[in-house]
Amino acid sequence: MSANQNVNQETLIEVKDLRKVFGKNEVLTGITTEIKRGEVVVIIGPSGSGKSTFLRSLNLLEPPTEGTILFEGVNITNPKADIDLHRQKMGMVFQHFNLFPHKTITENITLAPVVLKKMTKEEADKKAKELLDRVGLPDKADTYPEQLSGGQKQRIAIIRSLAMDPDVMLFDEPTSALDPEMVGEVLELMKQLAKDGMTMVVVTHEMGFAKEVATRVVFMDEGQIKEEGTPEEFFGGPKDERLKEFLSKIL
Amino acid sequence: MTDFSAKFYANFIKDDRWLGLVTGLKVTIIVTLEALLLGVVIGFFVAIIRSYHDKTGKFKILNAVSRVYLTVIRGTPTMIQILIMYLVIFGSSSMDSIIIGGIAFGINSGAYVAEIIRSGIMSIPEGQTEAGRSLGLSYSQTMWLIIVPQAFKNVLPALVNEMIVLIKETAIIGYIGEQDLTKAAMIIQSRTFDAFMPLLAAALIYLALVMLLTFFMNKLERRLRSNER
């Protein structure tokens, strides 16, 4: 409930009739939705439903075939838009962490802010230290990703994104590659972020997280949004047949 | 034994013949370094063009040119390439054959280096590029800071192999009138009518050169890998 208080009426991302075609396969068949500042949107759905593709098209890692995406009022699907600039404001966390193995943990965190001149080296180092303290991994500052557990890697990947001070964080199945005992620590950090008012879009299979943290749950199937609502509505009385079937399988 | 020292004397000491081997070694090293430098520059650019094309579909013409280059260079003998370079392309120019040789070997080596570096770039998981781009880094920043350093580490052994091949391959530069290590040995042989001593000496010097290179490259490799423990 607490997270709901953070939602305000300002639209952060506006998606209009988004379509994505891979060869002959239409993965997204027309998605229109809005994400407001402070919202925590959890996207669920069966595999192949297009939920990851949808998430990845929000920062154009998957360039949409058709449709528009407005981010902070700017049409980022316009080829003239400087997508690199907008991506600085859209953090992304991946299923497989994608830390840079040839860089230390601190370097992983400070690389982008320093290269993109958001901070000086000193400021970035200080920020990295704060973030590492926040996730309880200050002793890992000078180690390399290889030496970390999966849960630690994902927490570092999250704060690496946070170091850019993004306006929204996109999570692509952030706990799916983790050993079960490490899922909790990552979800805990995500909960904290939500509490602090971060706008989040999360593709996940963690229904507990959806129930507890989401301000809105979205069910995707066959490349479309089939149903959405608050966790209470969504889990309390699902209407869509496919959603009922899906929920009965995973709950 | 006296036979050996007599031969040694005749082949290396008399008339300061060993000096020919030293000058030859210098030529071999210079040509190798020229070719190495040129080869790495060409190879790197061709690899980037090809990878960028594979990923985005852009750079169509440059990619086509690169493919023709790779096919022709890898499909014809180095010897022919050297001779064409010397007799046809630079046939009427007065450029030093040590430069012409360097260019020819460099263009040759570039083709192999290009494919080595491209395989290195391809060996880095797509997620690395995505992580870099999602943080707001441009394609070239991601390439330089994230992909290439990792790729380079992965292909270092293959690159060292190519360098070793290159050092030894420069032995054919004698065909365009340059007196490298091999040619120097042959010159001694033509004076003393003894093939064994000068060729053995040349072989040992090549071997020492390659071993030295391997030693330093192994050191570099260990240093680059040190962050993985």
Side-chain angles (χ1 to χ4, degrees):
Chain A
M1 286 319 89
S2 58
N4 262 321
Q5 295 155 6
N6 296 316
V7 181
N8 63 34
Q9 286 312 302
E10 186 194 344
T11 301
L12 193 62
I13 304 177
E14 197 176 344
V15 181
K16 282 186 212 149
D17 200 29
L18 190 72
R19 286 164 200 275
K20 175 75 186 181
V21 181
F22 288 112
K24 284 183 182 152
N25 191 9
E26 198 167 8
V27 186
L28 300 179
T29 55
I31 293 183
T32 300
T33 189
E34 275 187 6
I35 290 152
K36 296 195 187 308
R37 202 178 280 278
E39 261 195 303
V40 177
V41 178
V42 172
I43 304 174
I44 63 171
S47 88
S49 60
K51 53 192 193 302
S52 272
T53 307
F54 170 64
L55 186 81
R56 289 159 54 83
S57 57
L58 291 179
N59 66 355
L60 303 201
L61 273 191
E62 249 9 302
T65 315
E66 263 180 64
T68 53
I69 298 166
L70 302 184
F71 175 59
E72 299 182 329
V74 181
N75 180 1
I76 56 171
T77 40
N78 181 340
K80 285 190 189 124
D82 183 357
I83 186 60
D84 295 336
L85 205 63
H86 298 295
R87 279 182 182 146
Q88 294 182 22
K89 292 272 139 207
M90 308 172 108
M92 186 157 204
V93 176
F94 301 87
Q95 183 177 356
H96 295 289
F97 332 127
N98 299 344
L99 293 178
F100 307 133
H102 62 304
K103 303 272 182 200
T104 65
I105 297 309
T106 300
E107 287 165 351
N108 263 275
I109 299 168
T110 59
L111 178 91
V114 173
V115 170
L116 298 170
K117 301 200 164 54
K118 273 188 69 103
M119 298 176 201
T120 64
K121 176 92 176 56
E122 290 70 34
E123 288 166 348
D125 282 342
K126 193 163 158 271
K127 176 107 181 178
K129 207 163 172 297
E130 285 168 18
L131 287 165
L132 284 168
D133 282 339
R134 176 169 172 188
V135 293
L137 297 170
D139 53 324
K140 302 294 182 192
D142 298 319
T143 59
Y144 286 88
E146 193 129 314
Q147 293 151 298
L148 304 184
S149 72
Q152 291 171 335
K153 281 182 193 166
Q154 195 61 299
R155 279 144 70 200
I156 299 295
I158 291 171
I159 61 173
R160 176 176 69 176
S161 288
L162 285 179
M164 287 298 290
D165 209 5
D167 292 338
V168 59
M169 291 276 286
L170 312 173
F171 293 83
D172 189 4
E173 304 202 23
T175 56
S176 298
L178 295 176
D179 289 338
E181 77 267 27
M182 291 170 181
V183 170
E185 62 193 64
V186 172
L187 291 181
E188 194 49 48
L189 175 57
M190 290 168 63
K191 268 180 220 169
Q192 273 178 35
L193 286 183
K195 221 181 199 169
D196 294 346
M198 175 62 74
T199 313
M200 294 161 64
V201 185
V202 186
V203 170
T204 187
H205 298 290
E206 294 293 332
M207 293 304 138
F209 179 82
K211 279 182 187 165
E212 195 181 337
V213 186
T215 56
R216 175 158 56 114
V217 186
V218 172
F219 174 67
M220 277 186 69
D221 190 31
E222 295 168 330
Q224 286 176 336
I225 295 178
K226 288 284 167 84
E227 185 162 342
E228 56 185 320
T230 64
E232 293 76 24
E233 300 164 356
F234 194 89
F235 294 106
K239 291 174 212 73
D240 184 84
E241 281 308 314
R242 288 296 299 260
L243 174 57
K244 283 182 196 165
E245 191 192 327
F246 179 73
L247 290 176
S248 73
K249 273 184 199 154
I250 57 166
L251 289 179
Chain B
M1 200 61 214
T2 46
D3 188 35
F4 180 86
S5 33
K7 273 189 175 175
F8 189 89
Y9 178 80
N11 278 299
F12 302 125
I13 312 295
K14 193 162 172 249
D15 298 339
D16 282 338
R17 286 191 174 126
W18 61 278
L19 277 176
L21 290 175
V22 174
T23 328
L25 175 62
K26 252 192 248 165
V27 170
T28 295
I29 290 177
I30 291 170
V31 172
T32 305
L33 288 180
E34 286 171 356
L36 204 64
L37 207 68
L38 186 61
V40 166
V41 171
I42 293 177
F44 190 77
F45 275 104
V46 171
I48 294 283
I49 289 168
R50 300 253 290 137
S51 314
Y52 190 68
H53 173 82
D54 286 351
K55 197 164 276 177
T56 63
K58 292 177 191 161
F59 282 180
K60 277 204 177 68
I61 295 169
L62 278 174
N63 184 58
V65 172
S66 302
R67 292 185 69 138
V68 171
Y69 161 74
L70 292 175
T71 309
V72 170
I73 294 298
R74 292 193 299 172
T76 55
T78 316
M79 176 80 127
I80 304 275
Q81 293 166 19
I82 300 277
L83 289 173
I84 288 176
M85 192 62 88
Y86 183 65
L87 298 172
V88 183
I89 297 173
F90 288 103
S92 55
S93 103
S94 58
M95 198 190 278
D96 202 332
S97 54
I98 198 169
I99 307 280
I100 299 174
I103 294 173
F105 283 117
I107 291 175
N108 179 273
S109 180
Y112 296 94
V113 173
E115 288 297 89
I116 292 171
I117 294 182
R118 193 170 71 95
S119 75
I121 291 173
M122 287 194 316
S123 75
I124 306 302
E126 183 61 24
Q128 291 290 306
T129 307
E130 290 184 348
R133 296 306 303 274
S134 76
L135 286 164
L137 300 175
S138 68
Y139 177 84
S140 47
Q141 284 167 335
T142 306
M143 209 64 187
W144 270 116
L145 299 168
I146 295 162
I147 308 302
V148 170
Q150 295 183 63
F152 179 73
K153 201 158 60 174
N154 286 357
V155 298
L156 196 57
L159 279 178
V160 171
N161 203 30
E162 171 56 22
M163 282 182 212
I164 290 172
V165 170
L166 186 60
I167 291 178
K168 295 183 298 180
E169 217 174 29
T170 59
I172 61 174
I173 201 173
Y175 281 88
I176 60 170
E178 199 53 53
Q179 290 184 15
D180 73 318
L181 186 52
T182 304
K183 188 73 180 178
M186 292 309 289
I187 289 172
I188 295 176
Q189 185 268 344
S190 71
R191 303 266 157 77
T192 61
F193 301 111
D194 176 18
F196 178 68
M197 280 273 178
L199 287 179
L200 181 71
L204 287 176
I205 296 171
Y206 278 115
L207 184 64
L209 213 54
V210 170
M211 285 171 67
L212 202 68
L213 175 77
T214 315
F215 173 78
F216 283 113
M217 284 310 198
N218 281 347
K219 255 188 148 165
L220 175 65
E221 204 179 322
R222 265 202 304 280
R223 229 186 60 196
L224 289 175
R225 296 237 170 252
S226 63
N227 61 12
E228 283 171 17
R229 302 280 143 242

